[in-house]
Amino acid sequence: MKVADWFESMALPKLDQVEKYVGILEALGYETRQPEAVTDGWVVKWRPRSESA
């Protein structure tokens, strides 16, 4: 079974926006990584959760 590649969000300027975005992604069943600081703000990496057999 292939593990899905990570997608990256566009830069979000405020950390509270990132927290809301992560909450939405997790509610939809996605796996997320810790937000990363970039020049324009914060980015979040996410992918579909891997399903175990």
Side-chain angles (χ1 to χ4, degrees):
M1 183 168 128
K2 183 181 182 299
V3 176
D5 293 330
W6 289 93
F7 297 97
E8 189 171 295
S9 70
M10 61 183 208
L12 299 166
K14 296 182 181 175
L15 191 54
D16 65 327
Q17 292 174 322
V18 172
E19 291 168 353
K20 290 176 186 175
Y21 188 68
V22 167
I24 291 168
L25 287 171
E26 290 177 348
L28 292 172
Y30 292 100
E31 178 180 1
T32 61
R33 286 189 175 170
Q34 284 290 96
E36 296 177 24
V38 294
T39 304
D40 303 19
W42 301 85
V43 293
V44 176
K45 291 189 178 182
W46 57 275
R47 68 179 178 189
R49 289 196 190 276
S50 57
E51 296 182 23
S52 55

